[in-house]
Amino acid sequence: MARGGGSNNNNNGGPRPNNGGSNWFANLDRSTIDDSNSPYYLSNGDHPGLALVSQPLIGNNYNSWSRAMTMSLIAKSKLCFVDGSLSRPAVDDECYNSWFRCNSIVMSWLLHAISRAIVDSVMYIDNAEAMWTNLHDRFHQNNGPRVFQIKQILNVFLSRF
């Protein structure tokens, strides 16, 4: 139970049914949770204060911050907690405690990777996916200014012919 553990109230040894969802992670058994490739696995170094990126999110650096966080979460096998591919299991599922613990760790990593001015606005979001989506919706910068600039150049070019 040291790594990826949590209480295991289901002693039948097999995975619990998925209850109709497409969440293949919900069918993991205990040996898979202890596997270092499992999203539920936590190593001794995976603590809440871990800094996954060198520069915190301050707003205008969202795109580079998001890329750095994505790479770090992939390396930790935790991207599924923010991209929606691992949904919250039912409370009575044997993986629920592991999911809850890992989700809390990922939320803590996100909070430690954003500026204090932004932290207060996401502190009470209760899952990592919703926190990630909130940050994306608020700070993602598309190529709007570049598209405008290209349209202006095209207009100038077309007006000459």
Side-chain angles (χ1 to χ4, degrees):
M1 187 161 3
R3 290 186 223 151
S7 67
N8 183 1
N9 297 328
N10 179 10
N11 293 324
N12 68 7
R16 304 278 308 249
N18 191 353
N19 299 329
S22 63
N23 182 1
W24 68 272
F25 294 112
N27 292 326
L28 298 176
D29 63 16
R30 176 64 45 216
S31 63
T32 304
I33 291 172
D34 290 336
D35 177 2
S36 63
N37 292 317
S38 168
Y40 295 123
Y41 177 82
L42 291 172
S43 72
N44 293 334
D46 291 337
H47 58 85
L50 186 62
L52 296 183
V53 294
S54 58
Q55 297 296 317
L57 173 65
I58 56 174
N60 63 356
N61 67 336
Y62 175 81
N63 290 343
S64 59
W65 174 87
S66 173
R67 177 69 177 137
M69 280 299 296
T70 298
M71 289 187 298
S72 294
L73 291 170
I74 289 170
K76 295 281 191 184
S77 297
K78 301 293 184 275
L79 185 65
C80 57
F81 284 92
V82 299
D83 72 2
S85 62
L86 178 61
S87 57
R88 174 185 288 197
V91 175
D92 63 343
D93 189 295
E94 69 180 21
C95 293
Y96 179 77
N97 289 335
S98 295
W99 179 91
F100 191 80
R101 184 179 59 255
C102 289
N103 181 70
S104 296
I105 287 285
V106 172
M107 287 191 312
S108 180
W109 290 343
L110 290 172
L111 291 173
H112 281 86
I114 60 180
S115 71
R116 296 194 190 282
I118 299 171
V119 166
D120 290 339
S121 66
V122 295
M123 175 65 77
Y124 295 101
I125 296 176
D126 68 351
N127 70 66
E129 180 185 2
M131 188 179 290
W132 184 264
T133 300
N134 178 288
L135 294 169
H136 176 271
D137 291 348
R138 290 170 50 200
F139 299 108
H140 176 71
Q141 300 168 356
N142 61 22
N143 291 326
R146 181 68 179 142
V147 169
F148 177 75
Q149 182 183 26
I150 291 171
K151 283 182 179 181
Q152 282 186 318
I153 293 169
L154 281 172
N155 285 335
V156 169
F157 179 75
L158 292 175
S159 68
R160 291 184 181 175
F161 296 103

